[in-house]
Amino acid sequence: MLYIAGLVLVIIFILMGFDDFIWDIVSVVQSFFKKERKLDLKAVFDTPPKMMAVMIAAWQEDNVIEDVISHFIDTTIYKKSMYHIFVGVYPNDLSTVEALGRLEVKYPNVHRVINEMEGPTTKAQNLNYVVKQIMAYEKAHAIEFKSFTVHDSEDVVHPFELRLTNYIMEKRQAVQFPVFPLIQYPTFRNFFKNLTTSTYADEFAEHHYITMVHRNASHAFVPSAGTGFALRRDVIELFDEYAFLPTDSLTEDYKLAFELYKHNIHMEYVLDKVPQVTDRTQMHDGYVATRSMFPRTFKTAVRQKKRWITGITMQSIHFKDIFKKNGLTLVGRYSLYRDQKAKIGNLIAFIGYPVVVYFIIDLFFVDLPDIYPKYSLSWYLSLMVTIMMIERLLFRSVAIYKVYGMKSVFFSTFFPPILPIRYVWGNLINFTATVQAYFERFKNPKKAKQKAKQKKVLLWDKTEHHFLEQHVLKHYYIRLGDVLLKRGSINQKQLKHAFKQMYRQNYKGPMGIYLLEHNYISEMNLIRSLSELSESIYIQDDQIVDSLFIDGLKGYKIEHLKQYHVLPLFSNKGKTYILSNYAMSKEDKQNFNDLYPTKTFSWHYALTNTIDMSLKYGTSLPYQNEVFKEAYAMLAYAYITPDQFMMAISWSLIKNKPFKDVLDQMGIYKERRK
């Protein structure tokens, strides 16, 4: 009887896991023959910026929302005038509404969208309403958002994400970035404290470093992670009243991706690395990924996993959907099957642990009857299961190493050997969540059917959110070295050498000046990178300067302009937009401002030679130039902001495209609809 039970169990394990084993092997073989795609960072920066909308659904998030959005805006390498953040809140959540009100005062590109219904509804209803209000905002302000990014209210968003989204959306309709949980650096002291959160890190590392990459490469179904994904405008416009998220599923993101997949819209999964500098002046390549805090307790993790299992395997799709004649490819059907079998695999995986415990007791402590007699059929099958289990642990170890480092690998898969605590704890969470999902679904089938017929609205079963402390967040801020590396202006070896030289020489001045004076970088590369770190615009050549030079030099002393290497361009709403070179310090700006106390300046960059030549020979009067006559009118009537005005003229000349075409491409201005 014991032999039969063991044989049945091992056969079930093989049936449930052998396809995963083959999938992994095939993926490894394919990776050897497929050339690794490397991100073309030059092309990313050479793509004109487009208007982008960022959407966040919030319910009782007053404890984190201000920190999250402030950090997002302060670190993102994308001009504030080219993206807006819309946060969906509820009229009965006054604390979050007030927090958003403070953010609106602080940041002109932040908007609270107060729902027409009291909360909580669902995340899907919330975001659908947000999109609807975004479209109304567009009409009122004559702009057009080219893409729509979704984030959660506790996300640490990568500074390069919007820039990369802008580039990808040139050719793709939907994109999903990796999501990697935030965890403390693992030690024996905090091991059990962070046990639950760490299981998320292990699972997401494996899923988003290996599984999603292979699905994307094989054109299988790529699900959305619910955050860190973006849709192009033409995708949003496919849905009636822009209701892009289904409200009849607890995992609206997964069902959205499935609906897109059925209509041949591929969710492009992007696992790209970009160089970055740490606070210790060390460099490494980091993933452009969303980092988030995940549940810390067993109870909250089970509740969240139960929602995922119910939504993905019991609401969004069913086994019968996989075999319907709906045009899905074989690999697409298989990827859906893998998702569906989780509700069975989670149960079977944990049932196998008593067998392992039995084996350990028999091996080390007490002689027990053999479940798998040596060289019997069940013995060979159990050997195969063992190989499959080791392979799975190795794959997970590689993923964890790539995302979190070798120390995390030790605590995840080797502490202790044979039955790693984190691995077992994660399976226990999944087992409990699956059991609860089944119990809730089948405890009263008649009542469930009746509720389904009534189309009862699902409530938002959200997880309590936390955000990082300031001393941790500093690791995610962007620095001059980061931008120089991303632009290819300097390589990591050169920058490390420069850091060492600065340390040896006890250099205390600006790093950019040092790099320029010691011929590590050019002046153009320096001011390009400086403009990326601020809301400044880099004016590339004399033709653009001539096109922006509107007001002339009246009211300025030429010796002052030559002394500080500055060139005033135009004034708008009481503010003068003025060019300076790389060497203009805060003190210099204040001194120059003291010379003209009645003026308020907005500082931007140009090459020293460009400024000096313009001061020496004068400039043309561009308002006589019919090409940009309409642009000046738009600026005068506040249809576009001064920053957008300068960017659009720059890209028009750089790309040699008509100004109106550039405006349309960037989404800065659309003709007002009647």
Side-chain angles (χ1 to χ4, degrees):
M1 189 65 180
L2 186 64
Y3 174 81
I4 297 298
L7 179 61
V8 170
L9 186 62
V10 76
I11 290 174
I12 292 174
F13 269 111
I14 290 175
L15 291 176
M16 289 300 298
F18 191 70
D19 61 298
D20 293 337
F21 179 77
I22 297 299
W23 172 272
D24 290 340
I25 300 303
V26 170
S27 299
V28 170
V29 173
Q30 285 179 341
S31 65
F32 277 110
F33 293 98
K34 189 172 183 179
K35 188 177 180 181
E36 184 180 358
R37 185 183 73 88
K38 191 171 182 180
L39 181 62
D40 186 349
L41 288 168
K42 183 179 184 303
V44 174
F45 281 100
D46 286 346
T47 302
K50 293 174 281 294
M51 292 296 296
M52 303 174 71
V54 179
M55 302 182 292
I56 298 173
W59 164 246
Q60 296 180 345
E61 303 288 8
D62 55 290
N63 62 321
V64 297
I65 197 68
E66 289 183 85
D67 290 336
V68 169
I69 291 180
S70 294
H71 180 262
F72 180 98
I73 292 176
D74 292 343
T75 59
T76 293
I77 311 177
Y78 206 72
K79 301 304 181 187
K80 293 186 183 71
S81 60
M82 296 305 295
Y83 72 93
H84 289 254
I85 302 174
F86 297 87
V87 185
V89 293
Y90 297 95
N92 58 328
D93 184 7
L94 294 179
S95 296
T96 308
V97 170
E98 290 172 359
L100 264 297
R102 292 189 290 270
L103 286 168
E104 282 184 318
V105 173
K106 186 177 180 181
Y107 302 110
N109 62 333
V110 174
H111 315 280
R112 56 183 169 180
V113 179
I114 301 178
N115 207 294
E116 60 186 348
M117 301 171 63
E118 291 196 342
T121 55
T122 62
K123 182 179 177 181
Q125 186 279 332
N126 185 305
L127 290 176
N128 287 341
Y129 186 77
V130 168
V131 173
K132 192 174 180 180
Q133 297 309 305
I134 289 175
M135 297 305 181
Y137 181 90
E138 284 185 336
K139 290 182 180 180
H141 295 81
I143 62 175
E144 183 176 86
F145 294 107
K146 299 298 184 178
S147 64
F148 298 78
T149 293
V150 174
H151 272 289
D152 284 340
S153 55
E154 83 283 9
D155 287 350
V156 179
V157 182
H158 195 282
F160 206 59
E161 183 191 295
L162 293 190
R163 175 76 67 165
L164 189 51
T165 301
N166 178 68
Y167 168 70
I168 294 171
M169 287 303 181
E170 291 277 295
K171 296 180 180 179
R172 301 288 184 240
Q173 292 177 285
V175 61
Q176 173 68 61
F177 290 97
V179 178
F180 294 131
L182 287 160
I183 58 172
Q184 287 184 322
Y185 191 71
T187 62
F188 286 105
R189 181 175 295 179
N190 66 22
F191 178 80
F192 288 101
K193 176 186 174 183
N194 299 324
L195 186 59
T196 297
T197 302
S198 298
T199 64
Y200 279 92
D202 299 342
E203 292 173 4
F204 271 76
E206 181 181 351
H207 189 57
H208 283 219
Y209 180 79
I210 295 177
T211 306
M212 293 279 275
V213 172
H214 294 159
R215 283 188 172 201
N216 190 70
S218 59
H219 300 286
F221 167 62
V222 176
S224 166
T227 186
F229 74 94
L231 303 177
R232 208 166 64 188
R233 183 182 187 85
D234 56 343
V235 175
I236 292 289
E237 290 177 340
L238 292 175
F239 297 89
D240 292 338
E241 296 186 349
Y242 313 111
F244 71 107
L245 288 173
T247 56
D248 59 347
S249 174
L250 290 171
T251 49
E252 63 287 324
D253 49 308
Y254 186 93
K255 191 168 184 180
L256 165 68
F258 180 56
E259 291 300 319
L260 295 180
Y261 186 70
K262 287 195 299 184
H263 291 85
N264 295 318
I265 297 176
H266 179 65
M267 179 75 72
E268 183 78 8
Y269 181 70
V270 177
L271 184 70
D272 280 319
K273 278 186 171 183
V274 292
Q276 59 190 57
V277 181
T278 69
D279 60 330
R280 296 186 297 275
T281 66
Q282 298 297 313
M283 278 136 273
H284 70 278
D285 289 337
Y287 294 106
V288 181
T290 297
R291 305 276 179 167
S292 297
M293 302 289 287
F294 278 78
R296 303 173 181 178
T297 67
F298 182 85
K299 183 178 179 180
T300 54
V302 167
R303 190 179 73 181
Q304 186 181 68
K305 292 286 187 72
K306 181 185 75 173
R307 174 164 54 86
W308 292 353
I309 292 164
T310 302
I312 292 173
T313 68
M314 301 177 186
Q315 291 179 337
S316 298
I317 59 171
H318 303 86
F319 274 115
K320 63 181 181 180
D321 296 319
I322 301 171
F323 303 103
K324 283 182 178 178
K325 294 181 179 180
N326 48 15
L328 298 181
T329 63
L330 180 61
V331 70
R333 295 179 195 277
Y334 173 66
S335 58
L336 291 170
Y337 162 75
R338 289 190 71 182
D339 296 337
Q340 280 295 298
K341 74 173 184 175
K343 60 187 175 187
I344 301 172
N346 289 341
L347 302 178
I348 294 174
F350 199 75
I351 293 173
Y353 285 124
V355 178
V356 179
V357 173
Y358 186 97
F359 173 77
I360 292 173
I361 294 173
D362 178 51
L363 187 65
F364 295 104
F365 301 103
V366 180
D367 285 335
L368 297 172
D370 290 336
I371 300 179
Y372 304 114
K374 199 170 185 180
Y375 304 125
S376 66
L377 173 62
S378 63
W379 184 85
Y380 283 109
L381 293 178
S382 67
L383 182 62
M384 183 181 298
V385 170
T386 303
I387 294 172
M388 289 164 53
M389 184 182 70
I390 293 172
E391 177 270 335
R392 188 105 299 278
L393 282 174
L394 286 175
F395 264 64
R396 174 171 286 198
S397 297
V398 170
I400 294 170
Y401 169 71
K402 291 292 186 178
V403 179
Y404 293 103
M406 184 55 73
K407 198 167 186 180
S408 288
V409 173
F410 169 76
F411 282 106
S412 171
T413 55
F414 297 108
F415 177 65
I418 302 177
L419 279 178
I421 295 174
R422 258 165 58 170
Y423 193 80
V424 175
W425 189 251
N427 282 341
L428 176 59
I429 292 172
N430 294 335
F431 174 82
T432 307
T434 305
V435 169
Q436 289 189 10
Y438 273 114
F439 180 76
E440 190 170 288
R441 182 168 180 81
F442 296 112
K443 65 182 177 181
N444 195 336
K446 291 183 179 179
K447 192 174 181 180
K449 288 182 180 179
Q450 186 179 3
K451 286 182 177 180
K453 289 179 180 179
Q454 294 172 350
K455 295 184 178 180
K456 181 179 177 181
V457 176
L458 298 170
L459 292 180
W460 191 348
D461 183 18
K462 69 181 287 291
T463 306
E464 184 181 354
H465 292 151
H466 307 274
F467 200 53
L468 298 179
E469 295 82 4
Q470 196 59 40
H471 72 279
V472 180
L473 283 173
K474 69 179 182 180
H475 297 289
Y476 297 94
Y477 277 84
I478 204 74
R479 300 167 177 81
L480 176 62
D482 292 305
V483 183
L484 289 169
L485 287 170
K486 290 177 176 62
R487 279 194 162 275
S489 305
I490 192 170
N491 60 43
Q492 293 190 26
K493 183 178 179 180
Q494 292 170 326
L495 190 55
K496 285 180 180 179
H497 183 267
F499 280 142
K500 289 179 181 178
Q501 293 298 107
M502 291 166 66
Y503 178 77
R504 289 172 184 168
Q505 299 170 18
N506 196 28
Y507 178 78
K508 301 296 184 182
M511 184 184 75
I513 303 294
Y514 183 92
L515 295 176
L516 178 64
E517 291 178 347
H518 290 79
N519 299 315
Y520 286 100
I521 59 174
S522 67
E523 183 186 358
M524 181 182 69
N525 287 331
L526 174 58
I527 60 178
R528 270 182 170 174
S529 298
L530 288 173
S531 70
E532 294 288 352
L533 289 170
S534 64
E535 285 304 293
S536 303
I537 309 297
Y538 163 54
I539 307 304
Q540 186 166 330
D541 56 36
D542 298 344
Q543 186 182 9
I544 301 174
V545 171
D546 289 350
S547 299
L548 293 169
F549 185 73
I550 299 173
D551 292 345
L553 303 180
K554 186 178 180 180
Y556 296 91
K557 291 186 177 181
I558 193 68
E559 57 268 25
H560 292 161
L561 302 178
K562 290 182 177 180
Q563 176 187 350
Y564 287 96
H565 302 285
V566 298
L567 179 70
L569 297 176
F570 62 89
S571 297
N572 183 264
K573 293 186 177 180
K575 185 179 290 187
T576 299
Y577 291 78
I578 188 169
L579 296 179
S580 69
N581 68 358
Y582 69 92
M584 194 75 167
S585 65
K586 289 184 179 179
E587 184 180 358
D588 290 335
K589 290 178 181 178
Q590 184 58 53
N591 291 337
F592 184 82
N593 202 86
D594 290 341
L595 296 172
Y596 303 95
T598 61
K599 294 182 178 294
T600 301
F601 295 107
S602 175
W603 295 93
H604 301 273
Y605 289 103
L607 293 172
T608 304
N609 184 63
T610 297
I611 295 172
D612 291 347
M613 292 294 287
S614 296
L615 291 173
K616 182 176 181 180
Y617 295 108
T619 59
S620 63
L621 297 177
Y623 52 78
Q624 296 176 350
N625 185 341
E626 292 296 323
V627 175
F628 294 115
K629 189 174 182 180
E630 188 175 16
Y632 310 135
M634 290 180 179
L635 177 65
Y637 287 105
Y639 291 159
I640 56 178
T641 69
D643 289 349
Q644 293 170 340
F645 169 72
M646 287 190 284
M647 279 189 285
I649 285 183
S650 295
W651 284 108
S652 175
L653 293 170
I654 291 169
K655 298 294 185 180
N656 193 28
K657 288 186 175 181
F659 182 75
K660 291 192 71 173
D661 290 351
V662 171
L663 286 181
D664 184 65
Q665 181 184 0
M666 297 173 74
I668 289 176
Y669 179 78
K670 294 291 289 185
E671 296 291 344
R672 295 182 184 274
R673 302 164 195 163
K674 297 182 180 179

